[in-house]
Amino acid sequence: MPYEPYDAFLLVSFGGPEANEDVIPFLENVTRGRNIPRERLAEVGQHYYLYDGVSPINQQCRDLISAVRADFAGAGVDLPVYWGNRFWTPMLADTVAQMARDGVRRAVAMATSAYSNYSSHRAYLDDIAAAREAAGPDAPEIELIRPFFDHPGFIEPLVEHTRDALDRLPEDQRAGARLLFSAHSIPTAMADASGAPDHDHGPGGAYVAQLTEVARLVGERLGEDHPYDLVYQSRSGPPSQPWLEPDVGDRLAELADEGVTAVVVVPFGFVSDHMEVKYDLDNEARETARKLGLHFVRALSPGTHPRFVAMVRELVAERASGAEPFGLTSLPACHDCPEGCCRQR
């Protein structure tokens, strides 16, 4: 049966290149209007060239879409599934135009990001609005699912994958291993501004509060007494601009000095193992740990874990019914703009 009042589901993601010749045009899309020097784009491009220009994110979206379609069908959810990216094909504007041609009138969308800040929530809303405007008067209404950082369908895969990662350490290293929960760093000013404007989340705004809560929830559910730290990765701003810290590499060096011998890095700021996980953690952080003599294991992100896939359907049902958000935390509902921001008319 259809999930009233929607007649389609839309997955909105970041996008990534899938060939060497795609890399620079993709990076130009990402940085358009920011006056990033060409040499900086070429430097970042080297990360992709290590993988023949192929970012994992598009295939990961295809895999998630396939899993969501199967889950929808098994649960009797009659919603066609569309996919649009912000910065590479399939472009969001093209997808919304296709939805309009297909006669979609009202869709529910999910962004491949669990948290609240401008880049991971508000920017998706802005791009959806721009895509609808470009599609013209027949563009469907599109409502964006809330940030889902505290949903059991996000937390439970993180717990399982962290436990699996601990099991991959040498047995004599597991008990003393330090967990590093890693998320994308953002400018501190952006972090401070994240979340509902009528709620004081403290330093770092809703973004840091949500990350802190997820780390607590995962650590609590592991049922083992592993100390953990919240760390950040993938900084890209100028040195003069404050960004969230500590950097994962800096924290690895500090832990080695403190006598820690094993670490498990949990990329809990991401929903899939895309380029910033594969390069920044599997390449750079792993090499830093090797030089420091640390045992290093990186946990998987939620990806297409069955519980994460089922969460998508549950969030669609939640949105369709107008029910109160269901999560494991006492944090207030979190949006980066006034109440009702997720309803793009």
Side-chain angles (χ1 to χ4, degrees):
M1 72 176 112
Y3 265 34
E4 299 291 352
Y6 305 117
D7 53 2
F9 172 81
L10 170 64
L11 182 72
V12 188
S13 194
F14 196 85
E18 296 193 275
N20 282 329
E21 58 267 28
D22 295 344
V23 171
I24 295 301
F26 162 72
L27 293 174
E28 288 173 339
N29 286 347
V30 174
T31 61
R32 184 164 286 116
R34 292 164 54 190
N35 297 316
I36 305 297
R38 181 80 177 188
E39 56 269 23
R40 175 57 181 160
L41 297 186
E43 179 184 340
V44 175
Q46 295 303 317
H47 302 178
Y48 293 92
Y49 297 139
L50 286 174
Y51 301 90
D52 297 322
V54 180
S55 167
I57 194 168
N58 277 0
Q59 187 57 49
Q60 289 163 3
C61 284
R62 294 184 188 103
D63 293 344
L64 179 59
I65 287 167
S66 178
V68 166
R69 283 180 173 144
D71 180 80
F72 278 8
V77 179
D78 184 20
L79 291 179
V81 178
Y82 292 84
W83 168 35
N85 289 327
R86 295 177 60 207
F87 297 114
W88 202 247
T89 55
M91 297 296 290
L92 179 60
D94 295 336
T95 299
V96 173
Q98 183 62 55
M99 293 167 72
R101 290 192 293 272
D102 291 346
V104 175
R105 301 270 53 88
R106 192 173 182 186
V108 58
M110 173 179 153
T112 53
S113 179
Y115 299 94
S116 288
N117 66 62
Y118 176 80
S119 295
S120 64
H121 188 72
R122 179 73 247 183
Y124 283 84
L125 288 166
D126 291 345
D127 286 352
I128 287 171
R132 292 187 65 248
E133 182 176 3
D138 292 330
E141 299 176 7
I142 300 174
E143 299 181 7
L144 186 63
I145 285 169
R146 66 175 175 87
F148 49 83
F149 67 97
D150 63 339
H151 194 285
F154 184 64
I155 300 297
E156 290 168 15
L158 288 173
V159 173
E160 181 178 319
H161 291 164
T162 302
R163 186 173 288 119
D164 290 345
L166 284 164
D167 288 344
R168 297 203 305 273
L169 283 170
E171 188 171 357
D172 64 346
Q173 297 292 322
R174 295 172 193 168
R178 180 68 62 96
L179 304 181
L180 296 182
F181 290 97
S182 188
H184 203 301
S185 185
I186 61 175
T188 56
M190 182 190 294
D192 290 341
S194 62
D198 60 350
H199 185 86
D200 181 11
H201 292 276
Y207 183 55
V208 172
Q210 291 165 12
L211 291 169
T212 301
E213 182 69 355
V214 173
R216 184 191 70 80
L217 289 168
V218 174
E220 181 181 83
R221 280 156 180 75
L222 282 173
E224 303 174 32
D225 190 21
H226 286 286
Y228 64 82
D229 297 299
L230 174 58
V231 298
Y232 298 94
Q233 63 175 87
S234 311
R235 176 189 170 125
S236 60
S240 59
Q241 184 182 39
W243 282 52
L244 293 175
E245 297 178 336
D247 177 79
V248 58
D250 293 340
R251 188 61 184 137
L252 287 170
E254 292 171 353
L255 290 172
D257 287 343
E258 294 168 12
V260 172
T261 59
V263 296
V264 168
V265 178
V266 184
F268 80 139
F270 310 95
V271 302
S272 68
D273 294 349
H274 54 60
M275 185 59 73
E276 286 169 319
V277 175
K278 301 292 287 183
Y279 184 83
D280 295 355
L281 297 182
D282 292 354
N283 187 321
E284 288 191 331
R286 186 182 300 276
E287 179 61 13
T288 296
R290 185 192 67 78
K291 291 178 178 178
L292 293 167
L294 293 168
H295 293 277
F296 178 101
V297 175
R298 194 264 296 171
L300 297 175
S301 57
T304 56
H305 188 287
R307 188 67 190 88
F308 184 74
V309 174
M311 180 200 74
V312 177
R313 171 173 39 82
E314 291 165 9
L315 286 169
V316 170
E318 175 189 286
R319 184 79 188 186
S321 68
E324 286 296 314
F326 172 60
L328 298 169
T329 176
S330 59
L331 291 177
C334 43
H335 302 305
D336 305 303
C337 40
E339 186 177 357
C341 72
C342 293
R343 296 188 180 273
Q344 294 294 303
R345 300 290 183 173

